[in-house]
Amino acid sequence: MNLQALETPVLVLDRLKMERNIARLRDRLAPSGVTLRPHAKTNKSADVASRIGAPGTPITVSTLKEAGYFLDHGWRDILYAVGIVPSKLPHVEDLVRRGAALTLLLDNVEAAHALAAWCRERALNVPVLIEIDTDGHRSGVKPADPALLDIAAALGKGGKDEGTGAWLAGVLTHAGDSYNCRSAEAIEAVAEQERAGAVQAAERLRAAGYRAPVVSIGSTPTAHFARSLEGVTEVRAGVFVFFDLVMHGIGVCNTDDIALSVLCTVIGHQREKGWLITDAGWMAMSRDRGTAKQPVDQGYGLVCDIDGKPLPELVMVDANQEHGIVSHRTDPSATPMFPVGTLLRVLPNHACATGAQHGAYTVVAGSTAVEAQWPRFGGW
Amino acid sequence: MNLQALETPVLVLDRLKMERNIARLRDRLAPSGVTLRPHAKTNKSADVASRIGAPGTPITVSTLKEAGYFLDHGWRDILYAVGIVPSKLPHVEDLVRRGAALTLLLDNVEAAHALAAWCRERALNVPVLIEIDTDGHRSGVKPADPALLDIAAALGKGGKDEGTGAWLAGVLTHAGDSYNCRSAEAIEAVAEQERAGAVQAAERLRAAGYRAPVVSIGSTPTAHFARSLEGVTEVRAGVFVFFDLVMHGIGVCNTDDIALSVLCTVIGHQREKGWLITDAGWMAMSRDRGTAKQPVDQGYGLVCDIDGKPLPELVMVDANQEHGIVSHRTDPSATPMFPVGTLLRVLPNHACATGAQHGAYTVVAGSTAVEAQWPRFGGW
């Protein structure tokens, strides 16, 4: 079976590129001795995750459904990296009773009190990280915020009380602002801000008597560009495994590193407009337009031939649900009018978003021969 | 069971609003006598589709997987409204052999010749529509394009040759440009252009000896605003069943008509920024920003209370994968700081895109009591 025999659209994963991307981050982190806790939200697949780290190694998830899925596939040390709320505690309890060593995240006193009370009542051991905001991007308390100690006060201090109830295991931050960087220097600066803020918060907690052993940082750009990881104990990253056009746009990878693409078929033309019409619309690519704010806007994706080689200046300029419009980036009259039936591969803006539109990876290894189908899951 | 007992995010469907929306389009089309052939791409659910028309009534689909699903659920008269390519013909054959009365679409001579040859070889009866481009929006040949007759020449003429091979059943157009309208008058003009173009193309075919009985038009805005349907035999529309903020922005519905919402939970705050953080990010809402180009940009969605009542000026201003940021549209200091655990409902920009992110509808009927779970499917 090869790609030419498939009914499109299809999500294609080049295993060789993926393995090269995994090795690159492992090699980079190895000298520092920090733990890699990969974020499974990008791949949602035990087949992919097991190539980053064998079942049983640490993992990060974005939903409790992911936690349950990876628990069922042999992972146990699971960090749920979205702020916990009381309505999700029954699901948490089920996962813990089934054997998950689940670490939770929160950034406010209300959630901390609710979680602590619930763990006390049920004699459940739940390590907890406090989310730290180092770049104003999303959730979290500032490293110097007095609220940090108020939140901690609701939790056990660790040490002899580890293993009983909800206890403070440390801090976590995500430098989401790194996605807006435009240079290596800018990413390095965000990475150092991320590291320093997380370490500062952990030290404030330790000074107040908490053991707080974990300092968890992470984003693919900062994982690749941080000059120091001093004081950091683990790095989370997700998109490093596949890469995408947003990562390319901020200088973290080349287009040749992008392991995911969407295989599609030319279904028609609008010759006077210089358009190829394909059967991969936004349902297959997602509506993500992450490169729209970057210096080079890649539309809905960069178009490659069947072998995955980018075609000069050809991008997916617009999308309907099941229709893509492909054209030359600046000169539509230069669009090659490939015949109906031609197969193309489109590199995605955002691997997490495009992957989520598909139920499986069709795996190749540097050629058009299909070597496997790996299922992926979605939902909550 | 009520909405308060659910783990979020959850796709909520208000059945009463949906039924009102269905009745509105049925009532509008009834005097004209044209057939409603609803587009199932929006709902991807036999439970929803059967409330528009009982199994066995005409339906439109956007993928062959949808065709197979609806065939399995009792629908037979199915229009696949995306241009056919040779690589999909084995799937088409399987559907026809299983009993589907499948109508196909194309807009070029290559596809017409390939389809005709394939039907001849296999003695398969396949009615075919030629896609007409009335607004420069996507695929199709212009109503006056000489290519129209070249495409037709590859197909049977209908009449005594109906039932054998690929034969020309008529024309189809989709006034996608209606989504860019800003007034009822503008939609009426696009609707008339759609109708007139489709009828003109059909008349050219008839003058050349083709029976071409079908004139299929459709989009939710034009279905609701067309002043004349003369010469039209069927209307396709999809989003009319749920409506959304894009439809509201072009004046086709009120926010109170929008039957879909995403239930989410407040998981934290950034008080100095006037942000509520929720657990519905772009994975739950989709990345669709269809209102960004409209006079009122609704961000990733308009925020309502648990009962579905819009909260003054509160919108989802930004999204990460599993985090939403909710704030007052213009004055973040006016954002109400609802406690952690508060449930909110977010109306979507685009019902097709938001629905596609979920595996089921949680059905309510004007209250927070859950009356059913209706599965929906995705993929290809």
Side-chain angles (χ1 to χ4, degrees), chain B residues 40-363:
Chain B
K41 79 183 181 75
T42 307
N43 64 71
K44 301 210 182 205
S45 156
D47 292 294
V48 173
S50 64
R51 280 159 177 86
I52 307 173
T57 52
I59 202 164
T60 311
V61 299
S62 68
T63 68
L64 291 176
K65 182 172 177 180
E66 277 171 61
Y69 167 90
F70 283 103
L71 180 63
D72 290 341
H73 286 78
W75 279 264
R76 192 172 164 274
D77 178 2
I78 301 168
L79 166 62
Y80 171 47
V82 176
I84 193 70
V85 282
S87 57
K88 295 194 168 105
L89 294 178
H91 195 163
V92 166
E93 178 167 359
D94 175 65
L95 293 165
V96 173
R97 301 268 183 227
R98 286 169 51 206
L102 193 63
T103 299
L104 298 180
L105 183 68
L106 49 78
D107 73 350
N108 59 81
V109 171
E110 304 97 296
H113 278 299
L115 176 62
W118 176 85
C119 287
R120 257 194 315 273
E121 281 170 25
R122 287 161 181 79
L124 281 177
N125 168 41
V126 177
V128 181
L129 303 181
I130 298 178
E131 186 165 7
I132 307 301
D133 174 18
T134 61
D135 63 1
H137 179 70
R138 190 169 74 191
S139 305
V141 294
K142 293 278 189 299
D145 192 327
L148 181 68
L149 294 173
D150 299 336
I151 299 167
L155 304 168
K157 292 203 166 186
K160 67 183 184 328
D161 63 354
E162 286 170 28
T164 59
W167 59 277
L168 183 66
V171 296
L172 173 149
T173 186
H174 166 61
D177 211 39
S178 64
Y179 280 56
N180 301 320
C181 291
R182 295 287 171 270
S183 69
E185 293 70 28
I187 304 174
E188 286 172 13
V190 169
E192 177 54 20
Q193 178 178 288
E194 179 185 37
R195 184 202 68 80
V199 170
Q200 179 194 348
E203 286 175 351
R204 285 184 62 214
L205 292 166
R206 290 168 191 157
Y210 296 87
R211 198 163 75 82
V214 177
V215 177
S216 178
I217 67 159
S219 78
T220 287
T222 58
H224 272 300
F225 281 80
R227 296 175 75 102
S228 163
L229 291 172
E230 197 180 332
V232 169
T233 65
E234 66 178 33
V235 167
R236 306 176 325 280
V239 82
F240 76 96
V241 65
F242 298 146
F243 282 130
D244 55 29
L245 292 170
V246 167
M247 289 296 110
H248 168 253
I250 62 178
V252 180
C253 69
N254 298 315
T255 55
D256 188 50
D257 297 321
I258 300 174
L260 275 193
S261 60
V262 173
L263 181 72
C264 64
T265 304
V266 174
I267 66 169
H269 311 92
Q270 292 290 15
R271 289 175 197 276
E272 75 284 6
K273 290 182 175 148
W275 287 359
L276 299 167
I277 312 288
T278 77
D279 63 356
W282 58 252
M283 189 65 86
M285 297 306 299
S286 89
R287 272 288 196 197
D288 198 288
R289 290 279 292 103
T291 56
K293 293 178 294 185
Q294 294 189 330
V296 178
D297 182 347
Q298 307 279 13
Y300 282 89
L302 189 63
V303 180
C304 303
D305 65 16
I306 181 72
D307 298 312
K309 182 166 164 281
L311 294 163
E313 303 301 311
L314 212 57
V315 294
M316 185 170 156
V317 294
D318 207 349
N320 286 192
Q321 185 160 336
E322 298 289 349
H323 295 79
I325 299 179
V326 167
S327 188
H328 188 281
R329 192 190 295 279
T330 54
D331 176 11
S333 72
T335 306
M337 285 291 129
F338 298 124
V340 167
T342 303
L343 290 165
L344 300 171
R345 283 164 70 177
V346 187
L347 303 179
N349 281 320
H350 188 174
C352 306
T354 301
Q357 302 299 105
H358 297 264
Y361 300 95
T362 293
V363 183

Side-chain angles (χ1 to χ4, degrees), chain A residues 34-320:
Chain A
V34 305
T35 300
L36 174 61
R37 184 185 284 280
H39 208 316
K41 79 183 181 73
T42 307
N43 63 72
K44 302 211 183 204
S45 155
D47 292 295
V48 173
S50 64
R51 279 157 178 87
I52 309 173
T57 52
I59 203 164
T60 311
V61 300
S62 68
T63 68
L64 291 176
K65 182 172 177 182
E66 277 172 61
Y69 167 90
F70 283 104
L71 180 63
D72 289 343
H73 286 78
W75 279 264
R76 193 173 164 272
D77 177 2
I78 302 169
L79 165 62
Y80 171 47
V82 176
I84 193 70
V85 282
S87 56
K88 295 194 167 102
L89 294 178
H91 195 162
V92 166
E93 178 166 0
D94 175 64
L95 292 165
V96 173
R97 302 267 183 229
R98 285 169 52 207
L102 193 63
T103 299
L104 297 181
L105 183 69
L106 50 77
D107 74 350
N108 60 81
V109 171
E110 304 97 295
H113 278 300
L115 176 63
W118 176 85
C119 287
R120 257 195 314 274
E121 281 171 24
R122 286 160 180 80
L124 282 177
N125 168 41
V126 178
V128 181
L129 304 181
I130 299 178
E131 186 165 6
I132 308 300
D133 175 18
T134 60
D135 62 2
H137 180 71
R138 189 169 73 191
S139 305
V141 295
K142 292 279 189 299
D145 192 326
L148 181 69
L149 294 172
D150 298 337
I151 299 166
L155 303 169
K157 290 204 168 187
K160 67 183 186 324
D161 63 354
E162 286 170 30
T164 59
W167 60 278
L168 183 66
V171 297
L172 172 150
T173 185
H174 166 61
D177 211 38
S178 64
Y179 280 55
N180 301 321
C181 290
R182 295 287 171 270
S183 68
E185 293 69 28
I187 303 174
E188 286 173 14
V190 170
E192 177 53 22
Q193 178 178 288
E194 179 186 36
R195 184 203 68 80
V199 170
Q200 179 193 347
E203 286 175 353
R204 286 184 62 213
L205 292 166
R206 290 166 191 158
Y210 296 87
R211 196 163 76 83
V214 177
V215 177
S216 179
I217 67 159
S219 78
T220 287
T222 59
H224 272 300
F225 281 80
R227 296 175 74 102
S228 163
L229 291 172
E230 198 180 331
V232 170
T233 65
E234 67 177 34
V235 167
R236 307 177 323 283
V239 82
F240 75 96
V241 66
F242 298 145
F243 283 129
D244 54 29
L245 292 170
V246 167
M247 289 296 111
H248 168 253
I250 64 177
V252 181
C253 69
N254 299 314
T255 54
D256 188 51
D257 298 321
I258 300 174
L260 276 192
S261 60
V262 173
L263 181 72
C264 64
T265 304
V266 174
I267 66 170
H269 311 92
Q270 292 289 15
R271 290 175 195 276
E272 75 286 4
K273 289 181 176 149
W275 287 359
L276 298 168
I277 312 289
T278 77
D279 63 356
W282 57 254
M283 189 66 86
M285 296 305 300
S286 90
R287 272 288 195 197
D288 197 288
R289 289 280 291 106
T291 56
K293 293 178 294 186
Q294 294 189 331
V296 178
D297 183 347
Q298 308 280 12
Y300 282 89
L302 188 63
V303 179
C304 303
D305 64 17
I306 180 72
D307 297 312
K309 183 166 164 280
L311 294 163
E313 304 299 312
L314 211 58
V315 294
M316 184 169 155
V317 295
D318 207 349
N320 285 192

